[in-house]
Amino acid sequence: MTEKEWLKYLKKYIIENSYVIKSKNEDCAVIKLSKNKYLLFTTDALVEKIHFHFSYTSFFDLGVKLATSNLSDIAAMGGEPKWALLTLGSPKPIDKSWINPFMEALTSTLKKFETHLVGGDTVKSPFFFVNLALIGETKNPIFRKGAQPEDYIFVSRPLGESSAFLRLIQKKSLKDIPESVKQAHLRPEPEILLGKELSKQKLATSMIDISDGLLIDLWRICEESKVGAELWEDKIPIGNFATLEEALSGGEDYALLFTVEEKNLKKLENLAKKFNRNFFKIGRIIKERNFYLIKGTKKLKIKPKGFDHFEN
Amino acid sequence: MTEKEWLKYLKKYIIENSYVIKSKNEDCAVIKLSKNKYLLFTTDALVEKIHFHFSYTSFFDLGVKLATSNLSDIAAMGGEPKWALLTLGSPKPIDKSWINPFMEALTSTLKKFETHLVGGDTVKSPFFFVNLALIGETKNPIFRKGAQPEDYIFVSRPLGESSAFLRLIQKKSLKDIPESVKQAHLRPEPEILLGKELSKQKLATSMIDISDGLLIDLWRICEESKVGAELWEDKIPIGNFATLEEALSGGEDYALLFTVEEKNLKKLENLAKKFNRNFFKIGRIIKERNFYLIKGTKKLKIKPKGFDHFEN
């Protein structure tokens, strides 16, 4: 089955009830512990030759990326990451030459956000794979559901450079690839601080992290919120070395994509000032359940295109 | 490095603090949520050709085994399992013919113990692997640490048949292997109900599940409790088709191994009656930090021998 069919199929096995208030179609499962306390629970794996190649990924990079891909799921719900378990599958005996940089990168990336590794499982495996399971907490989870017509669509930083890396590495050696492009793909940063602040101030009506591409992740917000969207092409922030196509459909950006009511725009501006950064207003939610790309005076109806994890 | 060196190495990256009251040398990380509420957090992976072979493991078996290996870690601490995330790595597109039995087995085994699958990650992979991350809760965690000299050592059921399976399958076809041996290896049962009751009644001074072999797992209890043990060979319950060696050093039994003070033996007897089953009193904790096997009138000093996950 395709990834879409699989996600639909999985739903019959995944529970939502009065405790598990959200598990389907979300970045994390959301479990209500008490009136104002929710556990967030997520897991993400990286597999050699599928998600990374050691020809261009160092063990340090792998540690950063594993931490970020999981932390980003917690960020997407406005949570505070807390405790993580590592599963490490290795085809060869563990050796300090490679385990040191991996563990240093993993735990230092987690610690930046006060997150602690508390255990795990280590197994022999024909290939390298790493899996993290991460628990977070929040008082106010932000869901994909919640975007309303008229809300503005924001993205937290320029897009596409992570995807540009995969294009450039086909033709160039690692040392000839611009630093920002390497960083974007190999050592991405999760938006934990922003997610937490949006949750605390209740500024976002919906949120997701861009892991599979702007269009497909915005489409997920729209599906859950039962709305549509128009995107303003000239407002989409494109990474310096990325193409528009990469900004729209490239994956692994780990930027936050969120929607904000007009009345909260001023507060968001203040938050940007506080963080000394910009957020990018790239479009608007519409009632009609379709997607439009506004190119100057043209309005194109588009279909989301993104990464299917089972596509060949 | 060997598994022992690796576990020692890992310690510098794994945190214990006022919230994470236990993470090193335990079946689960133990996180204190409030005075009487602890989260238990564990993960366990199964990898094709390392932990199982499809020549004798069905997808249904795999689902049961993944659930049990994780549930058993919660049982070992006296916990109630609650919520699980599945990571599925598959080399081929997902197809109902195999995903149905796997998901049915996994979720029905979890549900037997009121545990719910709440999400996960699905990835392409050059080989099959499955990983579960599981959260449990308890009011009274039972640790490996806590065994005292004079305590009696108990095991919850006969040992060695899971290991006997691996011997028999070398020579026989699956259909010629006795049913109890197949069950023990392919569809083991976690001791959740027993673990919970031992925790509730505060009957066990220490506990572990036998995943790597009786001797090595008892050795772990002794190391953490800073004690030694004597085992009574003729009291060790050996599965019908297992050898003594398999009962002592075979893995994946998922029985509980626990220590009980003399004053609580009567209560344990009542618990056995309530459950309509036997527990097996197999030895005693001693102050001297050594291991002895009592064979009739002989007393042999022994060394634990068990499964090293990196041994070739």
Side-chain angles (χ1 to χ4, degrees):
Chain A
M1 32 185 127
T2 64
E3 183 170 16
K4 209 173 156 184
E5 286 163 347
W6 162 243
L7 293 176
K8 195 176 162 196
Y9 168 87
L10 256 188
K11 281 183 194 169
K12 74 172 169 168
Y13 293 105
I14 292 181
I15 298 294
E16 287 179 357
N17 58 31
S18 53
Y19 296 98
V20 185
I21 63 167
K22 193 74 198 168
S23 61
K24 297 167 194 181
N25 305 333
E26 264 307 340
D27 293 291
C28 304
V30 183
I31 295 153
K32 191 171 182 168
L33 284 185
S34 61
K35 194 168 173 279
N36 266 318
K37 197 170 179 178
Y38 299 85
L39 273 193
L40 305 173
F41 192 19
T42 187
T43 193
D44 231 13
L46 298 174
V47 180
E48 184 186 357
K49 293 192 179 158
I50 304 292
H51 303 97
F52 64 93
H53 293 262
F54 283 120
S55 57
Y56 60 74
T57 307
S58 71
F59 276 95
F60 193 96
D61 299 334
L62 186 61
V64 172
K65 198 148 180 176
L66 180 66
T68 294
S69 66
N70 281 277
L71 289 167
S72 187
D73 283 332
I74 301 283
M77 309 214 62
E80 250 178 277
K82 304 290 273 186
W83 310 292
L85 296 176
L86 168 68
T87 302
L88 170 66
S90 166
K92 51 184 183 181
I94 291 175
D95 187 272
K96 283 196 182 172
S97 65
W98 57 268
I99 198 68
N100 268 347
F102 173 74
M103 291 302 294
E104 286 294 331
L106 174 67
T107 57
S108 66
T109 307
L110 292 173
K111 269 182 205 161
K112 255 190 223 171
F113 306 102
E114 293 162 74
T115 306
H116 299 299
L117 190 66
V118 297
D121 189 22
T122 314
V123 293
K124 264 182 93 167
S125 167
F127 282 79
F128 268 103
F129 74 92
V130 285
N131 187 84
L132 207 73
L134 180 57
I135 297 178
E137 286 182 345
T138 182
K139 288 181 180 171
N140 176 41
I142 306 172
F143 298 95
R144 296 180 183 177
K145 184 177 168 170
Q148 297 288 337
E150 310 281 298
D151 285 356
Y152 288 95
I153 301 165
F154 281 86
V155 67
S156 65
R157 61 190 183 205
L159 304 174
E161 285 206 319
S162 175
S163 183
F165 176 89
L166 295 173
R167 167 173 48 86
L168 293 172
I169 197 71
Q170 307 290 328
K171 293 175 239 160
K172 295 186 184 206
S173 70
L174 194 59
K175 67 173 177 26
D176 296 328
I177 291 179
E179 202 48 43
S180 68
V181 175
K182 284 194 272 191
Q183 286 289 324
H185 190 78
L186 299 173
R187 300 189 184 179
E189 284 182 30
E191 292 274 26
I192 291 291
L193 302 184
L194 174 58
K196 266 167 70 175
E197 204 58 34
L198 291 172
S199 158
K200 196 173 147 197
Q201 294 194 34
K202 302 192 176 177
L203 290 185
T205 52
S206 72
M207 187 151 67
I208 194 169
D209 70 319
I210 300 182
S211 51
D212 292 340
L214 169 61
L215 291 187
I216 204 164
D217 288 316
L218 178 58
W219 175 80
R220 286 170 175 151
I221 280 188
C222 290
E223 281 290 294
E224 284 296 294
S225 301
K226 299 186 172 31
V227 293
E230 57 177 49
L231 282 177
W232 310 325
E233 190 191 282
D234 61 345
K235 299 291 183 188
I236 294 170
I238 305 174
N240 286 332
F241 298 91
T243 64
L244 173 65
E245 174 64 22
E246 284 161 350
L248 289 174
S249 301
E252 300 185 18
D253 284 310
Y254 303 117
L256 288 181
L257 175 66
F258 54 98
T259 54
V260 178
E261 289 173 278
E262 182 144 29
K263 67 171 187 187
N264 282 324
L265 289 182
K266 187 71 199 166
K267 281 188 192 163
L268 186 68
E269 220 172 277
N270 290 337
L271 183 59
K273 270 183 206 151
K274 184 181 152 188
F275 282 156
N276 195 24
R277 59 186 288 195
N278 286 320
F279 306 126
F280 301 87
K281 203 199 290 178
I282 60 169
R284 211 146 182 197
I285 296 295
I286 58 175
K287 199 173 170 185
E288 184 196 331
R289 295 184 67 177
N290 275 311
F291 256 44
Y292 296 98
L293 190 62
I294 313 287
K295 282 164 110 70
T297 56
K298 280 189 231 159
K299 189 172 173 175
L300 304 174
K301 199 165 170 176
I302 54 173
K303 280 193 174 172
K305 201 177 129 192
F307 186 65
D308 184 321
H309 297 266
F310 286 100
E311 215 172 27
N312 281 302
Chain B
M1 31 185 126
T2 63
E3 183 169 17
K4 210 174 157 185
E5 288 163 343
W6 162 241
L7 292 176
K8 194 175 163 201
Y9 169 87
L10 256 186
K11 281 182 192 170
K12 70 172 172 168
Y13 293 106
I14 291 180
I15 297 296
E16 287 180 355
N17 57 32
S18 53
Y19 295 98
V20 184
I21 64 165
K22 193 74 197 164
S23 61
K24 297 165 194 183
N25 304 334
E26 265 306 342
D27 294 291
C28 304
V30 183
I31 296 153
K32 192 170 183 170
L33 284 184
S34 62
K35 191 165 175 281
N36 267 317
K37 197 171 182 177
Y38 298 85
L39 274 193
L40 305 172
F41 192 19
T42 187
T43 193
D44 230 13
L46 298 174
V47 179
E48 183 184 359
K49 293 188 180 160
I50 305 290
H51 303 95
F52 64 92
H53 293 261
F54 283 120
S55 57
Y56 59 75
T57 306
S58 72
F59 277 95
F60 194 95
D61 298 335
L62 186 61
V64 173
K65 196 147 182 179
L66 181 66
T68 294
S69 65
N70 281 277
L71 289 166
S72 187
D73 284 331
I74 301 283
M77 309 215 60
E80 250 179 276
K82 303 291 274 186
W83 309 291
L85 296 177
L86 168 68
T87 302
L88 170 65
S90 167
K92 50 185 184 179
I94 290 176
D95 187 274
K96 283 195 182 171
S97 64
W98 58 266
I99 197 70
N100 267 347
F102 173 74
M103 291 302 296
E104 285 296 330
L106 174 69
T107 55
S108 66
T109 307
L110 292 174
K111 269 181 204 160
K112 255 190 222 170
F113 306 101
E114 294 163 72
T115 307
H116 299 298
L117 190 66
V118 297
D121 188 22
T122 315
V123 293
K124 264 184 94 167
S125 167
F127 54 92
F128 268 103
F129 75 91
V130 285
N131 186 84
L132 207 72
L134 181 56
I135 296 177
E137 284 182 344
T138 183
K139 285 181 184 172
N140 176 41
I142 305 173
F143 299 95
R144 296 180 184 178
K145 183 177 169 170
Q148 297 287 336
E150 312 279 300
D151 285 357
Y152 288 95
I153 302 166
F154 281 86
V155 66
S156 65
R157 61 189 184 207
L159 304 175
E161 284 206 318
S162 175
S163 185
F165 177 88
L166 295 174
R167 167 173 50 85
L168 293 172
I169 196 71
Q170 306 290 326
K171 296 173 235 157
K172 296 186 182 208
S173 70
L174 193 59
K175 67 174 177 22
D176 297 327
I177 291 180
E179 201 50 40
S180 68
V181 175
K182 283 194 275 193
Q183 286 288 325
H185 190 80
L186 299 172
R187 300 189 186 180
E189 282 182 32
E191 292 274 26
I192 291 292
L193 301 184
L194 174 57
K196 264 166 70 174
E197 204 59 32
L198 291 173
S199 158
K200 198 174 145 194
Q201 295 193 36
K202 302 191 175 176
L203 290 185
T205 52
S206 72
M207 188 152 66
I208 195 169
D209 69 322
I210 300 184
S211 51
D212 292 339
L214 170 59
L215 292 187
I216 203 164
D217 287 319
L218 179 56
W219 175 81
R220 285 169 176 152
I221 279 188
C222 290
E223 282 289 294
E224 284 295 294
S225 301
K226 299 185 174 26
V227 294
E230 56 176 51
L231 283 176
W232 309 325
E233 190 189 283
D234 61 344
K235 300 291 185 190
I236 294 170
I238 305 175
N240 286 333
F241 298 91
T243 64
L244 173 65
E245 173 64 21
E246 285 162 349
L248 290 174
S249 302
E252 300 185 17
D253 285 311
Y254 303 117
L256 287 182
L257 175 66
F258 53 99
T259 54
V260 178
E261 289 173 277
E262 182 145 30
K263 66 169 190 192
N264 283 323
L265 289 183
K266 186 71 200 162
K267 281 188 191 163
L268 187 67
E269 220 173 275
N270 290 337
L271 183 58
K273 271 184 204 148
K274 184 180 151 186
F275 282 156
N276 195 23
R277 58 186 288 192
N278 286 321
F279 306 127
F280 302 87
K281 203 200 289 178
I282 60 170
R284 209 144 182 201
I285 296 295
I286 57 175
K287 200 173 168 186
E288 184 197 333
R289 295 183 67 177
N290 275 312
F291 257 43
Y292 295 98
L293 191 63
I294 314 285
K295 281 164 109 71
T297 56
K298 280 189 230 156
K299 188 172 174 175
L300 304 175
K301 197 165 169 178
I302 53 172
K303 281 196 175 170
K305 203 176 127 189
F307 186 66
D308 184 321
H309 296 267
F310 287 99
E311 216 172 25
N312 280 301

